[in-house]
Amino acid sequence: MNVKKIVLIGVGVLVVGGILANMGSDFKEEVKAKKETTTSTVAKSQESEVESAATDAGDLGDYHVVIKDLTFAKDYIGEDVAVIDYEFTNNSDKNAMFLTSISTKAFQNGIALDSAIMGEEGYVDSMTEIQPRATLNLKVPYKLADMSTPVSVEATKLFSDKVKLTKEFVLQ
C-alpha cells in the first residue's frame, strides 16, 4: 500500500471520529436539556407566576449566544443589508471562533438570506479567536430580499440542531 492511500485512510478515520465525537456531545446536551426542562417544570409548578424563557439567548454547547439587534446598512455595492448583532461567550476550556463554533442563518419569507460583504470598517470578524470565558460582540450582515418582510434569525451549535435560538425582527 502506498503512502498516499495510508494518509487518505488516516484522514478518513479522523473525520469519522470527529463526527462521532460531535454526535456524542449532542447526546450530552440533549440529556442536560431534558434534565433542565424537568427541573424547570417542577419549579414552575411550585410558583404561581413564571416568566417564559427567551429563545434569543442561551447555551449552545460550550458557548453562550445572544441574538441582540438588527440594524440596516448598505453593502459594498450599495444594496440593502440587515446587520445582526450577536454576543458570543466562550465557556469552553479552549480558544474558539464564532465562525467555527456557531451556525447562524437569517430568513425572509422562509428563504435563507445570503451573507453580505461590507465595504466599511467597524465589523468584528466572526473569525476572531477568543479565549475561554471571554465575550465578543460581533455583527453579521445579510442581503435583504426587501425592506418590509420580517427577518427570522436562527443560531445553533455548528453541526448540530438539537438546541436552536431564534429571534424575529419586524421591519418597518
Side-chain angles (χ1 to χ4, degrees), residues 26-86:
D26 288 345
F27 178 74
K28 290 176 191 174
E29 287 177 22
E30 193 173 306
V31 169
K32 182 179 175 185
K34 285 182 181 177
K35 184 177 179 182
E36 288 173 358
T37 301
T38 303
T39 305
S40 176
T41 303
V42 170
K44 285 181 182 181
S45 67
Q46 294 174 351
E47 297 179 13
S48 59
E49 290 184 34
V50 175
E51 254 182 61
S52 62
T55 59
D56 61 348
D59 291 334
L60 300 174
D62 291 332
Y63 314 104
H64 185 79
V65 177
V66 180
I67 305 169
K68 296 170 73 175
D69 296 313
L70 179 147
T71 55
F72 297 103
K74 300 283 185 182
D75 66 5
Y76 75 103
I77 57 175
E79 293 183 358
D80 294 320
V81 170
V83 180
I84 308 298
D85 293 328
Y86 295 95

Side-chain angles (χ1 to χ4, degrees), residues 15-145:
V15 168
V16 170
I19 290 170
L20 291 174
N22 189 36
M23 290 172 62
S25 68
D26 288 345
F27 178 74
K28 290 176 191 174
E29 287 177 22
E30 193 173 306
V31 169
K32 182 179 175 185
K34 285 182 181 177
K35 184 177 179 182
E36 288 173 358
T37 301
T38 303
T39 305
S40 176
T41 303
V42 170
K44 285 181 182 181
S45 67
Q46 294 174 351
E47 297 179 13
S48 59
E49 290 184 34
V50 175
E51 254 182 61
S52 62
T55 59
D56 61 348
D59 291 334
L60 300 174
D62 291 332
Y63 314 104
H64 185 79
V65 177
V66 180
I67 305 169
K68 296 170 73 175
D69 296 313
L70 179 147
T71 55
F72 297 103
K74 300 283 185 182
D75 66 5
Y76 75 103
I77 57 175
E79 293 183 358
D80 294 320
V81 170
V83 180
I84 308 298
D85 293 328
Y86 295 95
E87 182 179 284
F88 173 63
T89 302
N90 179 7
N91 292 323
S92 74
D93 58 356
K94 299 176 184 172
N95 291 358
M97 291 184 279
F98 185 81
L99 182 68
T100 60
S101 305
I102 304 299
S103 173
T104 62
K105 298 173 188 166
F107 300 87
Q108 276 186 307
N109 292 316
I111 300 170
L113 300 176
D114 291 330
S115 296
I117 299 172
M118 305 303 289
E120 60 194 58
E121 292 186 27
Y123 290 87
V124 175
D125 189 4
S126 60
M127 289 178 51
T128 300
E129 190 169 331
I130 62 172
Q131 293 181 321
R133 263 95 23 243
T135 297
L136 176 68
N137 289 302
L138 62 142
K139 299 176 180 187
V140 179
Y142 299 95
K143 292 181 184 181
L144 286 169

Side-chain angles (χ1 to χ4, degrees), residues 1-12:
M1 198 178 257
N2 66 26
V3 175
K4 193 175 188 180
K5 286 183 182 179
I6 293 172
V7 170
L8 287 174
I9 291 172
V11 169

